[in-house]
């Protein structure tokens, strides 16, 4: 009996050891798989905004595939793809990796793990890398796509695309905001003169409704959030609005002041698609030892001028070389000379801004030149067509204003976007259940 008990004891121990080895192996495989899907821990320097972190990075763009004047909004599971482009000055060609971070409506990272909101791998290597050719200034062009065959979003919402040095999440190169939306609710709106009397001729009001006949939002005041955006610019948004009226199948947002934007003025523009010819906005083009120099016709403040109609791109730009075949690689860079003739603004800073400056606005500050009684700046820009304007920043309040340099007019043509978020408490993220676009002059 004792021998039999001993053999049973040995057999039980053997089975236990085999089971332990088996489950240890399974645990190891699960651990490896989990680590392969884990999101690298990002540096504390990461800002959840459009931003360039390294000075040698230029011409950052994100848009729907084949539409360089489009904006980085795509519909979930629609097959739509976003293109991302940027240049690195010089001939060094480091390897870069990108990843997508899911964010809430306030652009803060959600608690979701990457494998929950990404189908496939949480990060991808940027393999489409080419050197410039036939240019005086050398650069390396990088491009990648999202979604792609190896990385697709499972959920709608705000996504921050982060590019960093391969294997080093602390080596952040740039970050870009993109939107992945669903169309579950019907949204509509109208742009009109501000309801506030003092702003009636300078501001535009965005009144809108959200139709809920086919979708029930459980707690409107708690779970619903909306963002109003002017000219696709996250720096010009209105948030925190709740419906004024809640009907059976419709939510009405008809405020008096809280939903108004300064109208601004039609954007200034210049083109340098061909260095052989100077357009009306360009005083002269010169080839110098360090490259091309494009001198713009000096500008003046327009704040006291009446409104005048002109066709613009609402701040956007596109890369173009009329002499080349592939603008991303053969469009050269030029030193563009800006000049704003006006009196000195002792307590303000003057910047040139547009879509070209949104990732590094501090790079485009003009300086006061007492000899010419003007603000001047020289900025490196890639060949193409550009919209721009001048903005004055209060040194103490850190607040930007264009009323002096450009003026505000209710007649100005602007693009407006509504984004509708609902907090999905079961899954722990802000879902985008609708979006709506309207142009102030075409509605």
């Amino acid at each position: 009996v004792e021998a039999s008990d001993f053999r049973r004891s040995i057999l039980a121990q053997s089975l236990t050891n085999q089971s332990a080895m088996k489950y240890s192996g399974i645990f190891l495989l699960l651990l490896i798989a989990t680590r392969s899907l884990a999101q690298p821990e990002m540096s504390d320097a990461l800002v959840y905004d459009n931003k360039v972190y390294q000075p040698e990075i230029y011409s950052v763009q994100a848009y729907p595939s084949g539409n360089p004047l489009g904006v980085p909004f795509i519909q979930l599971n629609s097959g739509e793809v976003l293109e991302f482009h940027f240049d690195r000055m010089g001939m060094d060609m480091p390897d870069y990796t990108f990843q997508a971070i899911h964010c809430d409506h306030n652009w803060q990272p959600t608690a979701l793990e990457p494998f929950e909101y990404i189908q496939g791998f949480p990060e991808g290597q940027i393999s489409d890398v080419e050197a410039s050719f036939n240019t005086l200034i050398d650069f390396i062009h990088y491009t990648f796509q999202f979604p792609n065959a190896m990385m697709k979003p499972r959920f709608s919402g705000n996504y921050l695309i982060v590019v960093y040095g391969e294997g080093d999440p602390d080596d952040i190169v740039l970050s870009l905001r993109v939107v992945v939306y669903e169309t579950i609710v019907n949204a509509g709106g109208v742009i009109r003169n501000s309801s506030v009397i003092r702003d009636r001729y300078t501001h535009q009001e965005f009144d809108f409704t959200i139709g809920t006949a086919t979708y029930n939002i459980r707690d409107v005041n708690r779970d619903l959030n909306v963002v109003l955006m002017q000219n696709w610019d996250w720096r010009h948004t209105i948030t925190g609005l709740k419906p004024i009226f809640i009907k059976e199948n419709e939510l009405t947002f008809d405020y008096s002041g809280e939903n108004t934007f300064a109208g601004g003025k039609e954007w200034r523009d210049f083109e340098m698609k061909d260095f052989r010819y100077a357009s009306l906005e360009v005083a002269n083009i010169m080839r110098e030892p360090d490259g091309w120099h494009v001198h713009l016709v000096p500008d003046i403040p327009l704040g006291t001028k009446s409104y005048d109609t002109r066709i613009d791109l609402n701040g956007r730009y596109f890369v173009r070389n009329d002499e080349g075949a592939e603008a991303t690689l053969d469009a050269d860079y030029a030193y563009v000379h800006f000049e704003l003739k006006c009196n000195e603004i002792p307590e303000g800073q003057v910047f040139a801004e547009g879509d070209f400056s949104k990732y590094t606005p501090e790079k485009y500050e003009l300086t006061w030149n007492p000899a010419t009684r003007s603000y001047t700046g020289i900025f490196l820009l890639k060949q193409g067509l550009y919209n721009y304007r001048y903005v004055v920043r209060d040194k103490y309040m850190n607040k930007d204003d264009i009323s002096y340099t450009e003026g505000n007019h209710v007649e100005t043509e602007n693009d407006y976007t509504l984004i509708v978020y609902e907090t999905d408490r079961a899954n722990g993220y802000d879902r985008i259940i609708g979006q709506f676009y309207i142009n102030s002059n075409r509605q």
Side-chain angles (χ1 to χ4, degrees):
V1 175
E2 291 179 358
S4 177
D5 288 343
F6 178 75
R7 283 195 297 270
R8 283 197 294 268
S9 173
I10 293 297
L11 178 61
Q13 183 177 356
S14 174
L15 291 173
T16 300
N17 290 339
Q18 290 179 23
S19 297
M21 292 176 63
K22 174 183 177 182
Y23 288 112
S24 295
I26 293 174
F27 175 77
L28 181 60
L29 289 174
L30 288 173
L31 181 61
I32 293 173
T34 301
R35 286 184 175 177
S36 69
L37 293 176
Q39 181 170 289
E41 185 174 347
M42 299 304 300
S43 165
D44 292 337
L46 177 63
V47 177
Y48 289 80
D49 201 349
N50 294 317
K51 183 176 176 62
V52 167
Y53 299 78
Q54 300 183 3
E56 64 270 18
I57 302 300
Y58 281 79
S59 300
V60 179
Q61 291 182 290
Y63 51 78
S65 182
N67 181 15
L69 289 178
V71 294
F73 282 50
I74 57 172
Q75 188 169 354
L76 183 68
N77 298 325
S78 65
E80 297 173 333
V81 174
L82 294 174
E83 293 182 25
F84 299 85
H85 298 265
F86 65 93
D87 295 334
R88 187 184 194 278
M89 295 295 104
M91 294 305 292
D92 290 338
M93 195 179 294
D95 292 328
Y96 291 136
T97 299
F98 73 95
Q99 66 169 274
I101 301 176
H102 196 277
C103 299
D104 63 16
H105 70 279
N106 284 322
W107 287 101
Q108 293 302 306
T110 60
L112 297 175
E113 294 294 335
F115 67 85
E116 294 181 89
Y117 61 81
I118 290 293
Q119 177 184 341
F121 295 95
E123 59 181 4
Q125 186 179 30
I126 301 178
S127 56
D128 193 345
V129 184
E130 295 184 82
S132 62
F133 59 88
N134 295 331
T135 60
L136 297 182
I137 295 180
D138 295 327
F139 61 87
I140 303 298
H141 183 73
Y142 292 80
T143 183
F144 62 96
Q145 294 185 334
F146 175 80
N148 56 54
M150 306 299 290
M151 182 190 300
K152 298 179 180 179
R154 296 180 185 272
F155 297 152
S156 62
N158 292 336
Y159 283 82
L160 188 76
I161 305 298
V162 183
V163 176
Y164 54 91
E166 187 175 21
D168 186 4
D170 289 332
D171 181 27
I172 305 177
V173 177
L174 58 92
S175 56
L176 311 95
R177 290 180 172 185
V178 304
V179 169
V180 179
Y181 66 89
E182 299 175 76
T183 305
I184 299 175
V185 297
N186 296 318
V190 63
I191 307 298
R192 53 169 59 99
N193 293 35
S194 173
S195 299
V196 180
I197 299 300
R198 71 174 182 274
D199 296 334
R200 188 162 183 79
Y201 300 106
T202 58
H203 288 60
Q204 297 171 343
E205 182 174 296
F206 189 175
D207 294 326
F208 61 96
T209 59
I210 299 173
T212 57
T214 59
Y215 183 78
N216 179 43
I217 301 173
R218 292 186 178 181
D219 191 335
V220 170
N221 290 314
R222 184 184 178 195
D223 294 339
L224 184 71
N225 290 283
V226 298
V227 171
L228 305 182
M229 183 185 304
Q230 184 188 63
N231 294 330
W232 317 101
D233 189 344
W234 288 101
R235 297 170 301 171
H236 297 91
T237 60
I238 294 174
T239 61
L241 300 181
K242 298 300 178 181
I244 297 293
F245 300 106
I246 302 177
K247 301 178 184 178
E248 182 178 358
N249 295 321
E250 186 178 82
L251 308 176
T252 302
F253 295 74
D254 187 1
Y255 283 81
S256 297
E258 294 90 338
N259 57 337
T260 60
F261 292 83
K265 191 176 178 66
E266 309 300 352
W267 292 72
R268 306 174 194 255
D269 64 84
F270 70 92
E271 66 175 67
M272 52 176 187
K273 299 182 295 182
D274 191 331
F275 289 140
R276 296 173 300 175
Y277 309 102
S279 63
L280 291 176
E281 306 83 11
V282 175
N284 60 70
I285 300 174
M286 302 176 64
R287 178 171 175 171
E288 299 185 10
D290 60 345
W292 293 102
H293 284 253
V294 175
H295 296 257
L296 301 183
V297 174
D299 292 308
I300 62 171
L302 301 174
T304 60
K305 305 293 183 180
S306 59
Y307 173 78
D308 62 316
T309 303
R310 77 165 57 179
I311 298 175
D312 65 5
L313 302 176
N314 287 331
R316 301 188 67 76
Y317 77 97
F318 67 89
V319 174
R320 177 72 178 271
N321 176 12
D322 284 347
E323 296 183 89
E326 190 173 353
T328 55
L329 301 177
D330 61 25
D332 209 340
Y333 276 83
Y335 294 96
V336 182
H337 296 244
F338 290 77
E339 182 175 5
L340 177 65
K341 288 189 170 295
C342 65
N343 294 325
E344 184 179 9
I345 307 172
E347 298 180 354
Q349 299 169 276
V350 177
F351 296 84
E353 75 167 12
D355 198 49
F356 67 89
S357 72
K358 71 181 180 183
Y359 295 95
T360 51
E362 66 281 353
K363 186 184 290 187
Y364 298 92
E365 182 178 0
L366 285 76
T367 56
W368 172 250
N369 185 338
T372 60
R373 303 289 301 173
S374 62
Y375 283 90
T376 60
I378 305 173
F379 311 122
L380 191 62
L381 298 173
K382 201 170 186 177
Q383 273 186 279
L385 174 63
Y386 285 80
N387 274 190
Y388 72 100
R389 66 184 180 188
Y390 297 103
V391 60
V392 177
R393 178 173 300 167
D394 188 301
K395 289 183 179 179
Y396 303 105
M397 302 295 291
N398 197 30
K399 183 178 180 181
D400 292 348
D401 183 56
I402 62 169
S403 58
Y404 168 66
T405 52
E406 307 295 339
N408 288 300
H409 304 272
V410 73
E411 301 94 339
T412 303
E413 177 263 329
N414 288 301
D415 291 317
Y416 289 97
T417 307
L418 162 67
I419 308 175
V420 184
Y421 300 84
E422 183 196 21
T423 301
D424 185 335
R425 300 195 177 276
N427 293 302
Y429 76 102
D430 284 342
R431 181 183 189 184
I432 297 181
I433 58 176
Q435 63 94 36
F436 171 73
Y437 160 77
I438 187 172
N439 182 276
S440 61
N441 286 4
R442 298 186 296 272
Q443 52 182 320

